[in-house]
Amino acid sequence: MLKNYFKVALRNLLKRKGYSLINILGLAIGMAVCLLIVLFIQSELSYDNWHAKADNIYRVVLERRYPGRSTSYSIIPQSIGEAIQKEYPEVIESTRLFNFAGNGNLFLRIGDKVFEEKRVIAADSNFFRVFTGRLLAGDSSTALLKPNSVVINETTAKKFFGSAGAAMGKSFVTDDGNNTDVSFMITGVCADWPDNSHFLFDLLIATSSFDFIKQPNYINFAANTYLLLNPNASPNALEAKFPNIIKKYVAGEIGRNFGESYEQFQKEGNGYHYYLQPLKKIHLTSDLESELRPNGSLTTVYIFGVIAVFILFLACINFINLSTARSMERAREVGIRKTFGSEKSALVWQFLLESIVVSVISIIVAFGLIALLLPLFNQVSGKQLTILSFLEPAKISLLFLFAVVVGLIAGFYPAFVLSSFQPITVLMGRFKSNKYGLALRNSLVVFQFAISVILIVSTIIVNKQMQFMLSEKLGFRKDHVIVVERTDLLDKQTKAFENELAKIPGVETVSGTTAMPGQENFFGVSFQQEGSKESVTGRGIFADDQYAKLLGLEIKEGRFFSKDFSTDSLSIVLNEKAVSELGLKKAIGARLTSPDGNFNAPDGTPYIYTVVGVVKDFHFQSLHQQITPLIFNNVSKFRNQSPFVAVRIQANNFQQAVTAIENTWKKFVQQRPFHFSFLDQTLAAQYAAEQTTQKVFTIFSILAIFIACIGLLGLAAYTTQQRNREISIRKVLGASASNIVAMLSKDFIKLVVIAAIIAFPVAWLGMNKWLQDFAYRINMSVWIFFVAALAAFAVALFTISFQAIKAAITNPVKNLRAE
C-alpha cells in the first residue's frame, strides 16, 4: 500500500508541474534560510566551548564609575588578578593577556626578510594551563616561561620557515620602539587557534619580556585577566569579595595618586566595580571597551532564530494555501475514491505522504540553494560556515527527520480538509468552500504579510540608523581623510615628514595626533580646577595645531593650538562636555591640573594647564556611547613624534596624492611598508554588527515577501476557482474587466491592511528595544510604517493581479458551459 501511496503522490506532483514547482521552491527557500540560520546560531553558541576547562574560566572585568557616568572595560590593572589569586584559594590560576594591536602592527626581521604581524598578544607563562591549545612543537608548560620567548601558530610558522618543525629554536628581530633591535626565540608552535574564540593570535610573546608588566599597578587598565576557578567554587561568592581587594590594594594607590582617601574618592562619584564574565558567554554578552576582537550579540541570535522559524512557517503556510487552492480538483478524486470504499484515514495518509514527498524533495533543493547562498551569507555575516557540517551520518538523519516533520506540519491541515469531502456533494457538483477553512486561510495570509511588514519596517529603521551613524552630523568632516599609521617610527623626523606631505599637490591639511575618531587610542585622563579636589575623568588626546582644521571642528570659544603662541605647550582645549562637568563658568583662561600624575613634571610637580579653547561636542567614539569629556593636549609638549599623521586630500586629486604620500614615506622609512586607512571606513567598522543586521534584514525581508506572495498567489487562485460562476455571470450582465479585477482584489487588500495594523505595534516594540543600544538614535517616524504598509500593499496587488486579470479576461461562456 505504501508503494501505491508513493506512486499516486509522484503522479499528482507531475500532473500539476507548475503548482508542484511553486510548492517545492517555497518550502526549499524556507528550509534553506532556516538551515543557514541554524549554521550561524550553532557557530555563535560554540565560541570558547572547546576549551577543556571552559566551565571554570572567568574573565575579570571592570565598571569604572565616574561622577555622573560609568564606563565598563574588558581590561583591568595588571596586578588585580594576581592579588585575587593570592587572597582567595578557590582561584587555581590567574593569567593575563596584553593586546598589542592598538600599538600598530609588529614588524619583525628574519634574515633579510621583513614580516608584518597584527595579531600579537603578550601572555603569561601559565597561558596553556588555563586555555586549551595543542602544541605541535615545544613544551606548553615552559614555552612562555623565559623572557623573549615566543609561541607562534602553525600558519605563521609555515609563512616564516616553511613548516612547523623548522620554526622551533629559530629567532626573529624587532625593535623596542626606541630603534633598538631585540631578538626573540620561538619556543613553541601551536595549532591554529579556532576562529570561534573571543581572541585570536598569530604570535604569543612571554610577558616576562616586558619590564612595565613587572611593576605593581592597581589603577591603570592594561590587562585582560582570566581566572581558573576550582570546580566547586562559586563565582558569585568570589565576586562578592572583590570590594576587599579594592580596600586592600587599590585604595592606597588612589591616595598616593589623587591625594585623597578612597572614601572621599567614592563620595565624589568615583569607584571601581569588578565582576566576572563566564568565558563561554563573553562572545555573545560582552560589549565593553578594549575587547580583544569584536563580539557577537545574543539579541542578534534571538532575532535570527525567530526569523528562521517565521520564514519556515511562511513556507508551510504557502503549502497549505496552495494545497487548498487545488481542493476543487482533488475533491472529485476524493469523491470517487470514497465511493469505491476508501476510508478517511487512508486518504489522510495519502495526502500526508504527498506532503512529505514534497518536503523531502524540497530539502534536497534547499541544499543546492545553501551551496549557492553560503558564500554570500558568509560575506554578510563575517563567518566561515561550511555545508560539510551537515554531512555527518547523525545530522543527515536529523535533516531527514526535519523534512518529515515540516511535511507533516505543512500537510496536516490540507490532508484533513481534502479527506473530509462528502462524495455525493462533490460528484453532484455542489461542492463549495467551508467558511471556517476560508477564515483560516485568510488568517494565514494575514500572518504572512504581518511578518513581511514587520521585516520591512525593521529594515527601514536599521538602514535609517546606519545612515544616521555614518552621516555628516557627527560634528566633524570624515570625507577624503586618510590616516598614515606607525608614524612614530619617524621619531624626530615626524615634522619634516609632515612638511613634505603638505607640499604635495592636492593635500589640504596635515595633522599629527595620537588618535582619530573611531579609534580606541583616546586615553583616560583626570583633571581638576587649580585649588579644587574634585576631579573630572574623561578622554585625552595629543594633537597638533592642524587637528581642528583637518576635521572641521567647530570652535565655540577661544581658539585651537597655534604656532603663533609660544605658551601653547601648556595650553589645553576642552570639548563642551568637559566644560560642563568641570563646572567652568568661564572656560577660557581657566587653570587645570592633573591629579593622577600622568601629566606632571619629571620631579613630580603638577603642571598647570591653561584652557585656551572650547570645541563643540563631536562623536569621537561610537554612537553607542554618550559623548564624554575630552581634553586636547598639545603634542609638541610631551612627544617628539605622533603615531598617526592624518591627511585631508582634495577629491579631484585623491589617487595621485595618495601615491605621492606613499613615495614620501619610502624616502623617510625604507624598512617599513606604507600603511594607511580611510577615516570613513574606520568609523564604519565600529558598526560591523549593525551592518550585518542591516544586510540580513534586507535579505530576509525580500525572501519573506517573496514567500508571502507565493501564498497569496495560491489563495487568489483558490478564490478565483470558487467564484468562477459568479465572475462569468457578472461578465454576461455587463461587468468590465476592471470591475472584476477590483472585486477580486478588494478582499485581499483588506487582509494586507489588517496585517499592517497587527504588524505596526510589534515592529515598534522590537525596533524600540533595538535602538536602546544606541546613546544617539533616530526617531521612528510614522512615515516609516506607512511606507512599509504601502510596499506590502503594492506587492500584494501586483501578485493578485495575475489571477484577477486571468479571471477577468476568460470567456464566461466556457465557465458557464462547464457548470
Side-chain angles (χ1 to χ4, degrees):
M1 182 175 288
L2 190 62
K3 183 179 179 181
N4 289 331
Y5 284 164
F6 273 112
K7 284 184 177 180
V8 174
L10 292 173
R11 189 181 301 131
N12 278 307
L13 287 176
L14 295 173
K15 184 179 179 182
R16 297 297 298 271
K17 296 182 181 66
Y19 272 109
S20 300
L21 182 62
I22 292 173
N23 252 334
I24 290 169
L25 183 60
L27 269 181
I29 291 173
M31 288 176 166
V33 171
C34 188
L35 292 176
L36 278 173
I37 293 176
V38 166
L39 278 176
F40 174 83
I41 292 175
Q42 183 181 2
S43 171
E44 289 292 282
L45 295 177
S46 70
Y47 272 67
D48 295 309
N49 285 0
W50 47 273
H51 292 286
K53 303 170 184 176
D55 290 333
N56 300 314
I57 300 173
Y58 295 82
R59 183 169 69 174
V60 186
V61 293
L62 167 66
E63 179 195 7
R64 173 64 166 92
R65 293 165 181 165
Y66 305 105
R69 63 185 177 87
S70 67
T71 304
S72 293
Y73 298 90
S74 65
I75 53 176
I76 66 171
Q78 63 204 41
S79 304
I80 292 291
E82 183 183 4
I84 293 173
Q85 182 181 5
K86 178 181 176 182
E87 295 292 329
Y88 305 115
E90 55 263 51
V91 179
I92 300 173
E93 298 282 357
S94 170
T95 196
R96 301 166 301 177
L97 302 179
F98 296 83
N99 187 17
F100 287 167
N103 299 321
N105 298 351
L106 176 71
F107 293 93
L108 54 93
R109 197 168 66 251
I110 301 174
D112 58 352
K113 294 181 180 179
V114 176
F115 297 91
E116 179 184 11
E117 300 300 323
K118 187 175 183 67
R119 301 193 306 188
V120 180
I121 291 176
D124 285 337
S125 59
N126 61 348
F127 175 84
F128 290 107
R129 293 205 297 271
V130 177
F131 298 106
T132 301
R134 183 169 60 91
L135 259 65
L136 306 177
D139 185 346
S140 62
S141 62
T142 59
L144 293 169
L145 193 59
K146 296 180 180 179
N148 293 10
S149 57
V150 179
V151 172
I152 64 176
N153 64 10
E154 184 177 8
T155 297
T156 305
K158 290 178 179 178
K159 181 172 69 173
F160 288 174
F161 305 103
S163 69
M168 275 297 295
K170 298 291 175 49
S171 298
F172 62 80
V173 175
T174 185
D175 65 64
D176 63 354
N178 297 312
N179 295 322
T180 302
D181 284 346
V182 180
S183 179
F184 290 86
M185 178 177 288
I186 297 169
T187 53
V189 178
C190 179
D192 287 346
W193 209 246
D195 188 68
N196 55 342
S197 169
H198 78 282
F199 68 88
L200 299 173
F201 66 86
D202 293 322
L203 287 84
L204 283 179
I205 301 177
T207 53
S208 57
S209 311
F210 307 99
D211 292 334
F212 81 92
I213 293 176
K214 302 171 186 175
Q215 303 300 318
N217 170 29
Y218 299 98
I219 290 184
N220 297 321
F221 315 149
N224 285 269
T225 302
Y226 302 83
L227 305 179
L228 175 62
L229 304 188
N230 188 301
N232 299 321
S234 166
N236 292 332
L238 176 63
E239 194 177 282
K241 300 174 183 177
F242 287 168
N244 297 328
I245 295 292
I246 296 173
K247 290 178 183 178
K248 186 170 182 178
Y249 292 92
V250 181
E253 199 159 329
I254 291 289
R256 288 189 294 273
N257 282 275
F258 290 87
E260 61 184 6
S261 67
Y262 186 68
E263 289 73 19
Q264 182 62 33
F265 185 73
Q266 286 181 304
K267 286 180 182 178
E268 294 170 358
N270 296 290
Y272 297 83
H273 171 60
Y274 289 97
Y275 58 98
L276 297 174
Q277 287 182 325
L279 178 69
K280 295 198 295 188
K281 292 185 177 181
I282 290 175
H283 176 67
L284 288 179
T285 62
S286 183
D287 184 22
L288 311 180
E289 289 211 27
S290 303
E291 293 282 0
L292 286 165
R293 66 183 296 204
N295 285 326
S297 165
L298 191 59
T299 301
T300 300
V301 168
Y302 286 142
I303 290 173
F304 278 27
V306 170
I307 287 174
V309 172
F310 277 159
I311 286 186
L312 188 60
F313 275 166
L314 294 183
C316 291
I317 289 168
N318 282 350
F319 187 93
I320 295 170
N321 281 335
L322 288 170
S323 296
T324 53
R326 294 184 59 197
S327 59
M328 289 187 69
E329 176 189 334
R330 303 301 296 271
R332 193 174 296 274
E333 174 194 339
V334 171
I336 292 171
R337 292 178 65 176
K338 280 193 171 183
T339 301
F340 282 94
S342 288
E343 296 181 357
K344 181 178 179 179
S345 59
L347 292 170
V348 168
W349 281 112
Q350 172 65 54
F351 292 125
L352 283 176
L353 188 61
E354 288 183 21
S355 174
I356 291 171
V357 168
V358 169
S359 184
V360 171
I361 294 173
S362 296
I363 203 163
I364 295 171
V365 175
F367 262 85
L369 291 174
I370 290 172
L372 290 173
L373 294 173
L374 201 53
L376 174 63
F377 189 79
N378 282 337
Q379 183 180 353
V380 169
S381 64
K383 296 286 184 183
Q384 296 297 322
L385 306 177
T386 171
I387 200 171
L388 296 177
S389 59
F390 282 131
L391 300 183
E392 301 169 9
K395 289 185 178 178
I396 291 174
S397 301
L398 286 174
L399 287 173
F400 179 76
L401 181 62
F402 170 70
V404 171
V405 170
V406 170
L408 290 173
I409 292 171
F412 182 81
Y413 175 74
F416 278 90
V417 169
L418 295 174
S419 63
S420 299
F421 294 152
Q422 297 300 316
I424 295 177
T425 302
V426 295
L427 291 175
M428 291 181 67
R430 294 199 297 269
F431 167 72
K432 61 180 181 179
S433 175
N434 183 294
K435 64 178 182 180
Y436 299 109
L438 182 60
L440 177 61
R441 286 188 292 277
N442 288 345
S443 299
L444 293 176
V445 171
V446 168
F447 175 78
Q448 284 186 311
F449 273 89
I451 297 302
S452 299
V453 171
I454 290 170
L455 286 174
I456 294 171
V457 169
S458 302
T459 300
I460 294 173
I461 290 174
V462 170
N463 277 280
K464 291 290 291 180
Q465 179 65 17
M466 286 301 301
Q467 290 173 8
F468 174 71
M469 291 188 295
L470 299 176
S471 70
E472 296 296 330
K473 297 178 182 178
L474 298 173
F476 61 91
R477 291 176 58 199
K478 61 182 175 62
D479 56 304
H480 305 120
V481 174
I482 69 167
V483 182
V484 182
E485 302 170 2
R486 290 307 309 270
T487 52
D488 53 324
L489 295 170
L490 295 162
D491 199 24
K492 294 180 181 180
Q493 290 185 298
T494 302
K495 272 299 171 188
F497 175 72
E498 292 176 8
N499 292 335
E500 287 297 312
L501 296 187
K503 297 175 184 177
I504 295 173
V507 170
E508 291 183 355
T509 315
V510 179
S511 174
T513 181
T514 57
M516 291 292 288
Q519 297 178 338
E520 290 191 355
N521 300 70
F522 293 87
F523 49 86
V525 293
S526 293
F527 276 89
Q528 61 192 27
Q529 289 192 61
E530 186 181 17
S532 171
K533 288 189 176 181
E534 293 188 10
S535 61
V536 168
T537 303
R539 293 291 188 169
I541 175 178
F542 290 104
D544 65 15
D545 58 303
Q546 296 298 303
Y547 192 84
K549 180 182 177 182
L550 178 104
L551 292 178
L553 302 181
E554 181 179 342
I555 307 297
K556 298 293 290 185
E557 293 183 61
R559 61 177 176 81
F560 206 72
F561 305 130
S562 172
K563 294 177 181 176
D564 298 333
F565 293 84
S566 59
T567 58
D568 261 3
S569 60
L570 287 176
S571 296
I572 58 175
V573 176
L574 310 178
N575 68 350
E576 292 175 299
K577 186 69 172 178
V579 172
S580 172
E581 293 208 5
L582 282 163
L584 300 177
K585 294 180 180 179
K586 184 180 179 182
I588 305 303
R591 292 158 65 87
L592 307 179
T593 61
S594 176
D596 60 11
N598 290 330
F599 296 91
N600 291 351
D603 62 359
T605 305
Y607 282 127
I608 298 175
Y609 300 87
T610 303
V611 178
V612 297
V614 178
V615 300
K616 185 177 181 179
D617 285 340
F618 66 100
H619 293 282
F620 62 93
Q621 294 176 297
S622 161
L623 269 74
H624 286 283
Q625 300 164 315
Q626 293 280 352
I627 292 176
T628 59
L630 180 63
I631 292 93
F632 293 87
N633 290 270
N634 196 324
V635 71
S636 63
K637 174 63 181 176
F638 296 97
R639 307 177 70 97
N640 293 321
Q641 79 288 326
S642 304
F644 303 101
V645 170
V647 186
R648 177 172 295 282
I649 304 171
Q650 294 173 355
N652 58 0
N653 202 21
F654 195 84
Q655 191 54 54
Q656 297 92 323
V658 171
T659 302
I661 293 170
E662 180 176 6
N663 292 334
T664 304
W665 170 269
K666 291 177 179 177
K667 290 179 184 177
F668 282 83
V669 184
Q670 287 79 30
Q671 295 184 340
R672 299 288 187 269
F674 174 67
H675 277 283
F676 73 93
S677 58
F678 294 97
L679 178 59
D680 53 357
Q681 291 180 358
T682 300
L683 294 168
Q686 298 177 102
Y687 310 110
E690 288 77 18
Q691 288 175 324
T692 297
T693 304
Q694 176 189 26
K695 294 172 186 174
V696 168
F697 268 125
T698 302
I699 293 170
F700 287 161
S701 294
I702 294 170
L703 288 173
I705 292 169
F706 176 73
I707 294 172
C709 287
I710 293 176
L712 190 61
L713 183 67
L715 188 57
Y718 176 82
T719 304
T720 303
Q721 281 182 322
Q722 290 285 295
R723 301 180 71 174
N724 266 341
R725 181 183 176 85
E726 176 192 347
I727 293 168
S728 299
I729 293 172
R730 285 177 180 271
K731 290 192 69 175
V732 169
L733 294 177
S736 65
S738 59
N739 294 143
I740 300 300
V741 171
M743 178 193 73
L744 291 173
S745 302
K746 179 180 64 178
D747 292 337
F748 295 113
I749 297 306
K750 286 180 182 177
L751 298 180
V752 177
V753 171
I754 294 170
I757 293 170
I758 294 171
F760 286 167
V762 177
W764 186 89
L765 288 170
M767 284 293 96
N768 186 59
K769 180 174 177 58
W770 182 76
L771 288 171
Q772 296 305 313
D773 288 339
F774 301 92
Y776 301 91
R777 49 188 177 268
I778 63 167
N779 294 317
M780 287 187 285
S781 304
V782 174
W783 70 263
I784 293 174
F785 295 86
F786 282 113
V787 166
L790 190 62
F793 176 90
V795 170
L797 191 61
F798 180 75
T799 305
I800 296 162
S801 64
F802 283 104
Q803 287 295 334
I805 293 171
K806 180 182 176 182
I809 63 177
T810 300
N811 188 344
V813 176
K814 181 180 178 181
N815 287 332
L816 292 174
R817 184 180 296 158
E819 290 287 337

